[in-house]
Amino acid sequence: AQTVTQSQPEMSVQEAETVTLSCTYDTSENNYYLFWYKQPPSRQMILVIRQEAYKQQNATENRFSVNFQKAAKSFSLKISDSQLGDTAMYFCAFRNYGGSQGNLIFGKGTKLSVKP
Amino acid sequence: DTEVTQTPKHLVMGMTNKKSLKCEQHMGHRAMYWYKQKAKKPPELMFVYSYEKLSINESVPSRFSPECPNSSLLNLHLHALQPEDSALYLCASSQDLGFLNEQFFGPGTRLTVL
């Protein structure tokens, strides 16, 4: 069974600094997709960034980038120039290609606080 | 319009009540999902609909009954719930069940069962 582990329950960062959230996963599959979702205190979850396992190039979306290490089964999220609006729960998620349709497997989340 | 709406925002019900949660999207998505999220926990998948047909039921108790009347609307009917069913219920939609498709989440309904 696939599992997703986020080892940092809580983190904090000063505004404008850089922070990295870690995520590791366990799978025996070769094709899969990885996602980072953000859930602010208002609760609506939004997609931050996604990565296809067969792509070696790390995904980037503006201030958000990932460090995808397939051999190590690691998928960390780097947030540059942190802003107060980045305060949220961040969930790493895994979806197996060809697996249970629609089944996103989430990690337990990391609560990020950006301090002024 | 990239929004998934959910009503009501909050719901308090007794164990003998019957209530329904509603989810709506107008993005032309053909896959819709119900998730349950307990406090400080990740969302857990409950049901998946694809083209208005139930595709996945993650062994959810029968006191939860989903319904997809049309491609834009998803309901979750609740009956004889238990206090442990209190949680945030999230609806999501995606273009279809393609694996890279982004799931768009609604704000959720906060359910309290007394």
Side-chain angles (χ1 to χ4, degrees), chain A residues 80-94:
Chain A
S80 304
D81 185 25
S82 298
Q83 300 176 359
L84 297 178
D86 295 333
T87 292
M89 279 291 288
Y90 286 81
F91 292 101
C92 179
F94 171 100

Side-chain angles (χ1 to χ4, degrees), chain B residues 78-99:
Chain B
L78 314 172
H79 174 55
L81 293 195
Q82 303 297 311
E84 59 264 29
D85 296 323
S86 297
L88 181 68
Y89 288 83
L90 295 169
C91 174
S93 71
S94 64
Q95 184 177 347
D96 52 39
L97 292 182
F99 295 95

Side-chain angles (χ1 to χ4, degrees), chain B residues 32-92:
Chain B
M32 297 186 77
Y33 312 77
W34 279 116
Y35 288 87
K36 174 183 178 180
Q37 187 178 24
K38 301 285 271 186
K40 299 184 180 181
K41 299 287 187 183
E44 297 174 2
L45 184 67
M46 300 175 72
F47 302 104
V48 180
Y49 272 83
S50 176
Y51 290 83
E52 295 116 71
K53 290 188 178 356
L54 184 63
S55 177
I56 293 176
N57 177 342
E58 292 285 356
S59 302
V60 179
S62 60
R63 56 185 184 269
F64 294 92
S65 176
E67 178 196 20
C68 190
N70 59 59
S71 60
S72 300
L73 190 57
L74 184 65
N75 297 320
L76 186 62
H77 303 298
L78 314 172
H79 174 55
L81 293 195
Q82 303 297 311
E84 59 264 29
D85 296 323
S86 297
L88 181 68
Y89 288 83
L90 295 169
C91 174

